[in-house]
Amino acid sequence: MFPISKEILEESLRRLDIPDITSATIRQINSLAWMLQEEAGEEMIHLELGNPGLPAEQVGIEAEIEALRSGVASKYPNIAGLPELTKNASEFVKAFLDVDVPPHCIVPTVGSMQASFTLLQLLKMRLPGKDTLLMLFPGFPAQRHQAKLLGINLEGFDIYNYRGKKLEAKLEEYFKTGRITAMLYSNPNNPAWTNLTDEELEIIGRLATKYDVIILEDLAYMGMDFRQDFGHPYEPPYISTVAKYTDNYILLISASKIFSYAGQRIAVVCMSKEVYERRYDYFEKFFEMPKFGDAYIYGVLYCCSSGATHSAQHGLAKMMGEAVAGRLNFVDHCSEYGRRGGLIKQLLADNGFELVYKYDGDREIADGFFLTASYGDMSGEELQKELLRHGVSTISLPSTGSRQQGVRITVSTVSDKEHFDLLGKRLKEFKQTH
């Protein structure tokens, strides 16, 4: 039973060939947590893997079923996207972000994981000397691994000390080298749940234009800053985006969290018209397609999967269409994560934990899908291990590129009173031990 001994934890790490828990992938930590659960004979509280904790939107499921019954399973999907999907996605972006992206500049991918992976492949090739990706840390650990796998030079800095006006000088320090081809971040942030302010987005956009850097804005948790109600199409407030401040942008919009549709692996890449239409000499030689958008769709994506799943495209098209029509309030549906985040934040505070990333400008961060926590002067590694010993699985902040000490927590899998009570009990035992 929990707490387990340090010896059992270390032996389990050895069995899984994890020499450094702070650099282990989320999936490795998930496997470790299940192994320790078996060893303890008790349920582990899983706060490490951000699986959606809400039912998938039924209208998407029904649309997929209808599409499959109509015979799409025997046909290759359009690699550039079903016309219904690209049209609805264009309207979705306009309705909730107040940004114009033409349908031909939108393409479906097998989740945003495929989107970022394939885009990085192309971005590292576009111009001689621009061979480096800049990430705002903390960031999604898998995207760091993607850059490593693709052999892209990776730079990054922890935004903790560079909020507001301080961001400009720090960004320019990297951009002015001329080596940065693209900058990648998520907003709201995975794992800190911070939201970039309009002041910060303006700085990013202005400098991206000045130094010819393409911004990859990952909107996996689009609209989930629950301090405002973003759930009404074509009505302010609109979701903040860098697309308001530069034409050098690519937006990644995934169905996984906003529609609880992670299992179907479907997302859309939304390129500005300027990004899509821009011509590159190298692409003309390599792909025989000079335009960025054509090289991406027909030169890179086609080789990776020959298109996103046919029925999943129908499902996403329907969900986006219903959201635009005001019949599906995805923000309201996802607000349950805010409720859970608030409860877990209180349990942590009651047992001596503190938030690591606390503010956006002069405002406290929203309650939502993720939060970050520290305990006294414990390192991220020590805290992660000790929580595991007490039956609570997290990932460490160092694994996300953060320079702060602590852990990242996802609230998605703690849903009922039984699990909240169990988490409270485990945290209380942790506090008594430490």
Side-chain angles (χ1 to χ4, degrees):
M1 60 184 295
F2 293 114
I4 61 171
S5 69
K6 291 182 179 180
E7 289 72 23
I8 288 176
L9 173 60
E10 295 300 330
E11 176 57 27
S12 298
L13 286 165
R14 281 192 292 272
R15 285 167 60 190
L16 289 172
D17 288 326
I18 301 175
D20 181 359
I21 198 169
T22 64
S23 61
T25 68
I26 296 173
R27 299 287 178 168
Q28 282 179 300
I29 298 301
N30 183 247
S31 296
L32 174 63
W34 282 104
M35 181 181 287
L36 295 176
Q37 177 172 304
E38 206 170 296
E39 288 279 358
E42 282 189 275
E43 185 177 5
M44 175 76 74
I45 296 291
H46 289 273
L47 306 180
E48 81 284 354
L49 185 59
N51 258 324
L54 303 173
E57 294 292 356
Q58 191 64 29
V59 293
I61 295 171
E62 295 299 329
E64 283 209 60
I65 291 171
E66 184 180 341
L68 288 166
R69 284 179 173 153
S70 75
V72 300
S74 65
K75 300 176 177 67
Y76 283 110
N78 185 338
I79 184 69
L82 298 178
E84 180 188 0
L85 174 56
T86 56
K87 172 182 174 292
N88 287 3
S90 176
E91 292 175 353
F92 184 82
V93 170
K94 181 63 176 177
F96 294 101
L97 281 76
D98 193 30
V99 170
D100 294 300
V101 180
H104 80 275
C105 298
I106 297 175
V107 58
T109 58
V110 185
S112 284
M113 283 284 281
Q114 187 195 45
S116 57
F117 189 79
T118 48
L119 283 164
L120 292 180
Q121 176 66 47
L122 195 63
L123 287 164
K124 76 171 185 177
M125 304 164 68
R126 71 185 183 101
L127 287 170
K130 283 190 173 290
D131 57 1
T132 301
L133 171 70
L134 179 68
M135 283 187 71
L136 283 188
F137 292 145
F140 183 30
Q143 289 171 334
R144 296 177 68 199
H145 285 286
Q146 287 181 338
K148 183 178 181 180
L149 185 60
L150 288 167
I152 298 174
N153 295 323
L154 179 64
E155 298 278 0
F157 63 92
D158 188 342
I159 198 172
Y160 186 89
N161 292 314
Y162 299 100
R163 300 301 306 262
K165 295 186 186 303
K166 294 178 182 177
L167 180 62
E168 181 158 2
K170 189 64 177 177
L171 265 188
E172 195 148 23
E173 178 185 321
Y174 287 93
F175 284 6
K176 71 183 181 183
T177 66
R179 296 185 296 105
I180 306 299
T181 183
M183 175 178 169
L184 172 62
Y185 60 83
S186 56
N187 200 42
N189 178 275
N190 173 5
W193 208 249
T194 50
N195 280 265
L196 293 168
T197 65
D198 283 309
E199 177 187 39
E200 291 163 342
L201 290 167
E202 187 278 330
I203 290 168
I204 293 169
R206 176 164 42 82
L207 293 181
T209 300
K210 179 180 179 180
Y211 291 101
D212 188 15
V213 173
I214 294 179
I215 305 300
L216 298 184
E217 187 172 75
D218 187 348
L219 298 173
Y221 308 93
M222 179 178 169
M224 293 192 208
D225 177 357
F226 301 120
R227 296 169 299 188
Q228 299 182 76
D229 183 1
F230 293 115
H232 304 286
Y234 301 109
E235 292 181 17
Y238 292 102
I239 296 164
S240 295
T241 173
V242 76
K244 290 285 190 180
Y245 305 105
T246 183
D247 291 326
N248 281 9
Y249 69 82
I250 301 174
L251 310 177
L252 312 183
I253 302 177
S254 168
S256 293
K257 304 305 191 305
I258 63 175
F259 296 126
S260 301
Y261 223 66
Q264 297 307 89
R265 311 307 307 126
I266 185 71
V268 285
V269 168
C270 304
M271 296 171 263
S272 72
K273 185 178 180 181
E274 288 73 14
V275 167
Y276 188 104
E277 300 287 344
R278 185 169 171 183
R279 294 169 174 265
Y280 293 91
D281 291 340
Y282 186 80
F283 292 171
E284 187 165 21
K285 294 174 185 175
F286 192 89
F287 297 107
E288 298 182 358
M289 290 177 269
K291 288 184 183 178
F292 184 97
D294 292 343
Y296 179 61
I297 296 169
Y298 304 106
V300 179
L301 268 187
Y302 177 73
C303 293
C304 290
S305 64
S306 194
T309 303
H310 214 152
S311 61
Q313 291 193 49
H314 282 277
L316 182 55
K318 183 66 173 180
M319 292 184 290
M320 285 182 157
E322 291 293 291
V324 168
R327 293 187 291 267
L328 192 168
N329 191 325
F330 68 95
V331 176
D332 185 59
H333 189 195
C334 292
S335 65
E336 167 63 12
Y337 295 130
R339 184 189 73 86
R340 297 181 193 179
L343 292 172
I344 291 178
K345 185 192 293 184
Q346 190 59 54
L347 287 175
L348 290 164
D350 290 346
N351 288 284
F353 291 81
E354 293 186 5
L355 286 185
V356 179
Y357 293 85
K358 299 180 183 180
Y359 299 105
D360 296 324
D362 58 359
R363 302 175 69 195
E364 288 191 9
I365 65 167
D367 294 334
F369 201 90
F370 294 113
L371 55 89
T372 56
S374 63
Y375 193 87
D377 59 359
M378 279 190 177
S379 68
E381 177 182 11
E382 185 181 6
L383 180 54
Q384 184 183 14
K385 285 183 174 181
E386 287 301 297
L387 283 170
L388 277 167
R389 288 186 54 230
H390 285 79
V392 179
S393 179
T394 63
I395 69 169
S396 71
L397 281 181
S399 72
T400 70
S402 172
R403 301 299 185 263
Q404 314 311 310
Q405 295 302 321
V407 294
R408 185 211 75 177
I409 288 166
T410 178
V411 309
S412 61
T413 55
V414 183
S415 58
D416 54 34
K417 185 177 185 302
E418 178 185 355
H419 283 94
F420 278 108
D421 288 345
L422 182 57
L423 175 59
K425 175 177 177 289
R426 298 272 170 82
L427 292 176
K428 185 177 180 180
E429 290 170 349
F430 176 94
K431 180 182 178 182
Q432 290 170 346
T433 305
H434 296 88

